[in-house]
Amino acid sequence: MKEEHFRNKITWFSFGFSLLVIWVHSYNAELYLGKTQEMAMVYRLEHCLGDGIAQIAVPGFFMISGYLFYRDFTWKKLGEKWQRRIGSVLVPYILWNFLYYLGYVIGSRLPWMTRVVGKGVIPFDLFTAVDAVINYTYNYVFWYLFQLILLILLAPAIYLMLSRWWSRIVLFACLWWTVATGKSLPLLNGDALIYYATAASLALGRREWVEEEPPAGLKRSGYVLGGMGMIAMAVVMYQTGLRTAFVPCFVLCRLFGVAGLWMVVPGKGLLEAGELMSHNFFLYGVHFAFVRFINKAGIWVFPAAPFVPLLLYFFMPVMILGIALVLGRVLRKRAPVLWGLLNGGR
């Protein structure tokens, strides 16, 4: 796969995962219908999508990030990679968390917004602001970026573990054990490290599996068939996880789902990603505030009928995409520096 095809495919996948994340955070059945029989029906329909297909989104982000970080990794490039991630990950993390905190502070003091915010009056002081920035207190979806920052800081240790076959086996054995037994790592999510390290391993030793379509000695039809098999295994793992409540089944489901989708979707011949698709970080950052506002404000506008939350839920990605498009154009024109910071320099 040529470099431009690879980068284009990465952009498409990142954009798609950003849209799926919106569904993960758009549940609204109980908000509109209370604990009723209609709510249960709407809940099942929403969670069929949000807890099923859409759950590959954040694991997909971890896998893309891990692969790109270690794709051409050397010790000499570590400082350069860290420096680039300051602008693309750390600065947006700080800025978005502060903006969400500021939004909650202002919204909690406006009478017509108090019920939408639903958190009482938010204190406006240095301690609360620092807590909001560091711990993503008012921007829950940035737990992913918090984990990613930790993984980036741990790059030397991760590389040392992945650079030898025996230490790689030890690392993954420990990670799968923590996930299977429910043990917690300090600050880190074990499953997040599994997704990240799996992709990093491919970048360090099996790039042809990811970037050659198909890999040497394999026909394209066989490659696609293998991808479809992985997607089928993802479905099996998901159903098994539902029946057994065994967490590794869900982790395998998401690994197989992302890998299978990557194999099925061709890199060569994929339409060139539009400008909007390269702004998926901004879409990820802005979506949570508007999802919550639309769902909560909609209660006062629409009747409490089952079709209302369902329609809002299914069309939420389209609405948020439209809002992000308008806001992005305004920021790029009126405040290009701020836009660059919010979108991680992308």
Side-chain angles (χ1 to χ4, degrees):
M1 191 191 314
K2 293 182 178 180
E3 182 67 17
E4 59 267 28
H5 294 155
F6 173 75
R7 292 291 174 178
N8 187 54
K9 190 172 180 178
I10 287 289
T11 301
W12 268 98
F13 269 68
S14 299
F15 177 71
F17 292 149
S18 295
L19 293 180
L20 290 178
V21 163
I22 296 173
W23 270 319
V24 174
H25 300 131
S26 297
Y27 302 131
N28 56 14
E30 187 172 347
L31 188 64
Y32 278 83
L33 303 171
K35 294 183 178 181
T36 62
Q37 186 174 356
E38 290 82 1
M39 182 278 292
M41 177 191 69
V42 174
Y43 178 91
R44 283 194 296 270
L45 290 173
E46 291 182 355
H47 280 255
C48 182
L49 178 58
D51 281 346
I53 298 172
Q55 286 297 329
I56 70 169
V58 173
F61 284 139
F62 278 120
M63 294 178 76
I64 288 174
S65 298
Y67 189 88
L68 292 179
F69 191 93
Y70 291 95
R71 187 176 180 232
D72 56 351
F73 186 90
T74 64
W75 286 113
K76 290 182 179 180
K77 292 184 178 181
L78 177 59
E80 176 189 340
K81 286 178 175 287
W82 270 343
Q83 187 174 9
R84 287 206 303 267
R85 267 62 180 188
I86 290 174
S88 64
V89 178
L90 181 60
V91 171
Y93 176 82
I94 294 171
L95 185 56
W96 276 108
N97 284 343
F98 180 73
L99 289 176
Y100 267 84
Y101 165 65
L102 201 59
Y104 270 95
V105 167
I106 295 171
S108 68
R109 286 164 169 77
L110 299 176
W112 56 277
M113 282 287 291
T114 303
R115 290 180 59 188
V116 174
V117 173
K119 291 183 178 293
V121 177
I122 307 298
F124 185 50
D125 56 62
L126 181 60
F127 177 82
T128 310
V130 170
D131 175 69
V133 168
I134 294 176
N135 297 314
Y136 52 91
T137 310
Y138 300 97
N139 187 16
Y140 314 124
V141 299
F142 267 33
W143 72 268
Y144 154 69
L145 278 186
F146 178 79
Q147 290 293 310
L148 185 57
I149 290 169
L150 295 178
L151 292 170
I152 291 169
L153 289 174
L154 289 172
I158 293 174
Y159 178 70
L160 286 174
M161 293 296 292
L162 295 179
S163 59
R164 300 173 179 82
W165 67 267
W166 60 268
S167 56
R168 188 179 304 184
I169 292 174
V170 170
L171 173 63
F172 281 107
C174 291
L175 291 176
W176 282 105
W177 176 79
T178 60
V179 171
T181 57
K183 304 293 183 182
S184 297
L185 297 173
L187 295 178
L188 281 172
N189 290 2
D191 57 338
L193 186 47
I194 287 175
Y195 304 132
Y196 189 84
T198 298
S201 298
L202 292 172
L204 290 170
R206 289 292 183 268
R207 283 179 57 173
E208 68 277 7
W209 290 5
V210 177
E211 299 183 37
E212 293 183 19
E213 295 185 347
L218 187 65
K219 294 182 178 179
R220 173 64 191 168
S221 57
Y223 190 61
V224 172
L225 189 61
M228 293 174 65
M230 282 200 170
I231 293 173
M233 282 300 300
V235 175
V236 172
M237 288 293 100
Y238 180 71
Q239 293 299 325
T240 304
L242 290 179
R243 289 172 172 79
T244 63
F246 190 50
V247 175
C249 290
F250 294 110
V251 177
L252 284 171
C253 162
R254 292 155 191 171
L255 279 172
F256 286 143
V258 175
L261 190 62
W262 181 269
M263 293 170 68
V264 168
V265 176
K268 185 179 180 180
L270 194 63
L271 292 176
E272 185 176 355
E275 183 184 1
L276 175 63
M277 296 179 184
S278 64
H279 302 156
N280 59 79
F281 191 101
F282 181 77
L283 177 63
Y284 184 88
V286 80
H287 84 273
F288 189 57
F290 285 100
V291 163
R292 287 179 62 86
F293 179 80
I294 290 171
N295 272 332
K296 288 194 173 185
I299 299 173
W300 306 328
V301 179
F302 302 110
F307 70 89
V308 172
L310 271 177
L311 284 176
L312 284 177
Y313 180 81
F314 285 114
F315 285 100
M316 192 68 77
V318 178
M319 291 187 285
I320 301 302
L321 187 59
I323 292 170
L325 177 61
V326 173
L327 283 178
R329 285 179 175 174
V330 172
L331 285 172
R332 287 198 303 275
K333 184 177 181 180
R334 304 293 184 184
V337 174
L338 178 60
W339 162 256
L341 294 175
L342 289 173
N343 200 42
R346 294 166 180 83

